Amino acid sequence: MVEVLFSWDRMLFLKLHLAGQEPWDTLVYYATKSWVWTPLFVWWGYLLYQTYGRKFIRWVAFTLLVVSVTDFLCGQWLKPWVGRLRPSHEASLRSSLHLVRGYTGGLYGFPSNHAANSAAMATAIGLALRRRFVWLLAVGWAVLHSYTRIYLGVHYPSDILAGWGIGVILTRFLYSLAKRKDVL
């Protein structure tokens, strides 16, 4: 059963990995960089300030906390423990991939830190602001930010889904604890 799932995951990855199509390569290469999204993050911070006044700093701290926790959990604990190679490090896939600017990422890819972090951030922002447009924008950003990893050839779809699951579940859990302690 596991082999069938891996086979489907690999097949879906190859269908979604569309690298090698300029100008998309350059756009996607930069879209995967978190610093590119700074204006969006600043706008979210502004909305938090408009909504909560000086208490917006609690939401900023909460968002930074959940992103830091998911990043540590995925990058320092789960990836080495699971030990699943990224597609870019799979010898059997190398000839099928177009690696943008030679980027291969680290050795292991499951789960995706980018997906976990962006899902955590999108969930935190959505919980804080509770506006349909903000939710849609946050989820759209998380999907795009995560998809860039498949396009670049460094994550399988299951890496992304696992990252999203971790980001959303962990954020919801920490949110419930924060609400119970009346921190947010």
Side-chain angles (χ1 to χ4, degrees), residues 36-90:
V36 167
W37 299 99
T38 300
L40 178 64
F41 303 156
V42 169
W43 181 66
W44 283 338
Y46 173 73
L47 290 178
L48 288 170
Y49 181 75
Q50 272 190 322
T51 304
Y52 295 100
R54 290 187 178 186
K55 291 184 178 183
F56 89 103
I57 199 69
R58 292 179 183 188
W59 279 103
V60 171
F62 176 76
T63 303
L64 291 172
L65 172 71
V66 296
V67 170
S68 297
V69 171
T70 57
D71 193 62
F72 178 80
L73 177 66
C74 293
Q76 302 300 312
W77 192 68
L78 289 172
K79 279 183 183 178
W81 182 66
V82 173
R84 181 179 184 192
L85 292 177
R86 293 175 185 265
S88 57
H89 290 282
E90 288 277 356

Side-chain angles (χ1 to χ4, degrees), residues 26-147:
T26 300
L27 289 170
V28 171
Y29 180 79
Y30 285 106
T32 198
K33 308 291 185 195
S34 295
W35 62 264
V36 167
W37 299 99
T38 300
L40 178 64
F41 303 156
V42 169
W43 181 66
W44 283 338
Y46 173 73
L47 290 178
L48 288 170
Y49 181 75
Q50 272 190 322
T51 304
Y52 295 100
R54 290 187 178 186
K55 291 184 178 183
F56 89 103
I57 199 69
R58 292 179 183 188
W59 279 103
V60 171
F62 176 76
T63 303
L64 291 172
L65 172 71
V66 296
V67 170
S68 297
V69 171
T70 57
D71 193 62
F72 178 80
L73 177 66
C74 293
Q76 302 300 312
W77 192 68
L78 289 172
K79 279 183 183 178
W81 182 66
V82 173
R84 181 179 184 192
L85 292 177
R86 293 175 185 265
S88 57
H89 290 282
E90 288 277 356
S92 62
L93 284 177
R94 288 292 272 208
S95 63
S96 303
L97 301 181
H98 170 78
L99 299 175
V100 177
R101 298 184 182 197
Y103 178 70
T104 60
L107 187 60
Y108 302 124
F110 185 90
S112 166
N113 282 58
H114 274 76
N117 297 347
S118 57
M121 180 178 277
T123 302
I125 293 301
L127 289 169
L129 296 172
R130 300 197 181 265
R131 297 180 193 165
R132 182 175 169 81
F133 176 73
V134 173
W135 268 110
L136 292 173
L137 183 61
V139 169
W141 167 76
V143 168
L144 173 63
H145 199 235
S146 299
Y147 171 71

